[in-house]
Amino acid sequence: MVVAVAVLALVAVALAVGGWWRARPQSVAAPVAVGQATGGAGVGAPVQAGPASGVAGGAPSSAGGPLTVHVAGKVARPGVVVLPPGSRVADAVQAAGGALPAADLATLNLARPLADGEQIPVGVPGATPPPAADPSGAGSTASAGGAPAAVLDLNTATAAQLEQLPGVGPVLARQIIEKRTQLGRFATVDQLRQVRGIGDRKYSDLKPRVRV
């Protein structure tokens, strides 16, 4: 009887100890972030963004640069002026101080858009204004509206105006002016044949575009 009571007491103690062991608090390791575990940037880690071109903070881009033109003739301040894109002939004349009272503006289209590098002769007798600039950048033998281009006077044309002719660049324009200076003036259009660099084919292209 005494043995049975002792056995039951031991069983009760064992059950109490087992229950206490299961109920004791246990320490749990904190979860490790993915980026820390791999040594790299994990999911959700912030990314340092570098500057991108074409956005705020980058170098601004512009649709067009300033226009540099030479205003000559009867203006208050002849010379080179720099104007913003989209300027007209009237803006260039105004930037040069305005036309003098005796200047005849009938040969100028004051509403024509300017082209970079051109010369604008104001009140110069016989000067033929260049045709309107071609927005596509390609050369054109016709003025706005499809009308034939103006015929250029070889004896009054400037280098910039001569460069508007088909196949005439800065070098050939300078040679034409040198030949005009040597001759005093062109007596006939045929004298263009005497200019170095103008052969039969180029002469045939230039002949309907020029006069004396």
Side-chain angles (χ1 to χ4, degrees), residues 85-166:
S87 296
R88 309 279 177 154
V89 172
D91 299 321
V93 174
Q94 185 65 31
L100 298 178
D104 181 8
L105 302 181
T107 59
L108 288 178
N109 178 3
L110 297 174
R112 178 177 61 81
L114 292 173
D116 184 57
E118 73 168 288
Q119 185 184 63
I120 303 171
V122 179
V124 178
T128 304
D134 185 354
S136 65
S140 174
T141 58
S143 60
V151 178
L152 196 63
D153 190 329
L154 288 174
N155 291 313
T156 60
T158 64
Q161 291 172 333
L162 289 170
E163 291 176 26
Q164 301 293 326
L165 295 172

Side-chain angles (χ1 to χ4, degrees), residues 5-189:
V5 171
V7 171
L8 291 175
L10 288 176
V11 171
V13 171
L15 290 175
V17 171
W20 171 85
W21 179 260
R22 287 192 299 271
R24 83 187 192 286
Q26 299 182 7
S27 61
V28 180
V32 181
V34 176
Q36 295 174 348
T38 60
V43 177
V47 179
Q48 184 65 34
S53 61
V55 297
S61 60
S62 58
L67 300 173
T68 303
V69 298
H70 177 203
V71 184
K74 298 179 180 180
V75 290
R77 296 186 300 273
V80 175
V81 297
V82 180
L83 298 165
S87 296
R88 309 279 177 154
V89 172
D91 299 321
V93 174
Q94 185 65 31
L100 298 178
D104 181 8
L105 302 181
T107 59
L108 288 178
N109 178 3
L110 297 174
R112 178 177 61 81
L114 292 173
D116 184 57
E118 73 168 288
Q119 185 184 63
I120 303 171
V122 179
V124 178
T128 304
D134 185 354
S136 65
S140 174
T141 58
S143 60
V151 178
L152 196 63
D153 190 329
L154 288 174
N155 291 313
T156 60
T158 64
Q161 291 172 333
L162 289 170
E163 291 176 26
Q164 301 293 326
L165 295 172
V168 177
V171 175
L172 187 54
R174 184 170 63 250
Q175 291 174 348
I176 293 174
I177 291 177
E178 289 175 355
K179 175 57 68 174
R180 181 176 69 192
T181 303
Q182 178 185 349
L183 295 173
R185 63 176 282 111
F186 286 105
T188 64
V189 174

